[in-house]
Amino acid sequence: MTALTLTEDMKKEIVEKTSALIVRASTPKALLSSLDISALTGFPYNGSTFQSMVKDPTFPRPVMVGSREKRWFCEDVFRWLERRQRKQLI
């Protein structure tokens, strides 16, 4: 298996995207997109695990932005992630 070599541009893009997500997520009433939640959880937003997670009745309910766009309150998503993590440690 060959290792992927990151160019300086790739590293810069990763840092910029991560920084932007941290800024958005640092506000309690911030709204996170599917892509943001995907980045936080590591599950591809178009994958079955992500879809199952979002359909889980314990997962926070989305807020509709426009007629088709779903967003989730950052505070609720982090609370859900913390509860899941605590359950796995028990």
Side-chain angles (χ1 to χ4, degrees):
M1 182 165 94
T2 59
L4 174 66
T5 305
L6 296 176
T7 66
E8 288 304 314
D9 288 339
M10 293 167 79
K11 290 177 185 177
K12 183 179 177 183
E13 185 179 353
I14 290 169
V15 169
E16 288 172 357
K17 286 183 177 184
T18 303
S19 298
L21 177 58
I22 289 169
V23 168
R24 282 194 306 281
S26 66
T27 307
K29 292 298 178 187
L31 293 174
L32 301 176
S33 69
S34 296
L35 290 174
D36 294 335
I37 294 173
S38 175
L40 288 171
T41 62
F43 301 130
Y45 78 95
N46 59 353
S48 61
T49 303
F50 182 86
Q51 297 304 320
S52 296
M53 178 182 69
V54 172
K55 289 178 184 176
D56 181 336
T58 65
F59 193 77
R61 297 295 94 197
V63 175
M64 295 303 291
V65 178
S67 61
R68 298 178 64 192
E69 184 71 26
K70 293 179 183 179
R71 299 290 169 115
W72 291 263
F73 283 110
C74 176
E75 182 177 42
D76 297 341
V77 172
F78 277 112
R79 204 174 306 127
W80 182 85
L81 289 169
E82 287 174 10
R83 280 194 310 269
R84 293 274 308 214
Q85 187 175 33
R86 270 192 250 120
K87 282 183 181 179
Q88 289 177 353
L89 295 176
I90 293 176

